[in-house]
Amino acid sequence: MSRAGRPRTARIVALAYVVAMSVGGLIVGAQGSSHAGPLLFWLSQPGLNFLYVFVLMPLTAVFGDLGGGGGEAGASSSALACGLGAAVNVLLVRAAVCFLRVVAAELPMCRKRRTPVR
């Protein structure tokens, strides 16, 4: 497989993951309480935690509680939470892959510099 085909496949897989999580959140939110809800939130967990800590908590601190947090989450809020958590997960994986590529590209030059000259 050529290197040109890999980014397209990765984008398709990432998009399929985000869409599947959004649709799953919509279905779980429409059904109410089910056993698939904790699984969906577990699959979107690192990104969902990132959103809660770095987006929702500061917004709540700045604007205060707007009163919409009481009660059961609806279908759209479950789909939004799962979809945004999955999107942040995709971005976190992309950042990790880019970091590893930079390290792998710089590693031979670092080893070359550390070799003593005789």
Side-chain angles (χ1 to χ4, degrees):
M1 178 185 241
S2 70
R3 183 154 167 74
R6 288 185 190 153
R8 181 177 174 145
T9 305
R11 287 184 187 127
I12 291 171
V13 169
L15 184 64
Y17 168 62
V18 172
V19 169
M21 291 297 291
S22 297
V23 170
L26 187 63
I27 291 170
V28 166
Q31 286 180 350
S33 179
S34 72
H35 297 294
L39 176 66
L40 282 175
F41 284 105
W42 181 78
L43 288 173
S44 64
Q45 227 6 260
L48 200 55
N49 287 342
F50 189 85
L51 284 174
Y52 284 147
V53 170
F54 293 109
V55 176
L56 292 178
M57 286 181 168
L59 286 175
T60 303
V62 170
F63 296 115
D65 189 14
L66 299 176
E72 194 70 26
S76 61
S77 64
S78 294
L80 185 64
C82 289
L84 287 177
V88 171
N89 285 342
V90 168
L91 293 175
L92 289 173
V93 169
R94 169 124 170 101
V97 168
C98 288
F99 175 75
L100 290 176
R101 283 183 182 165
V102 167
V103 168
E106 292 291 325
L107 194 60
M109 287 190 283
C110 289
R111 286 184 179 166
K112 193 177 201 178
R113 282 186 224 142
R114 288 180 42 188
T115 307
V117 178
R118 294 183 185 173

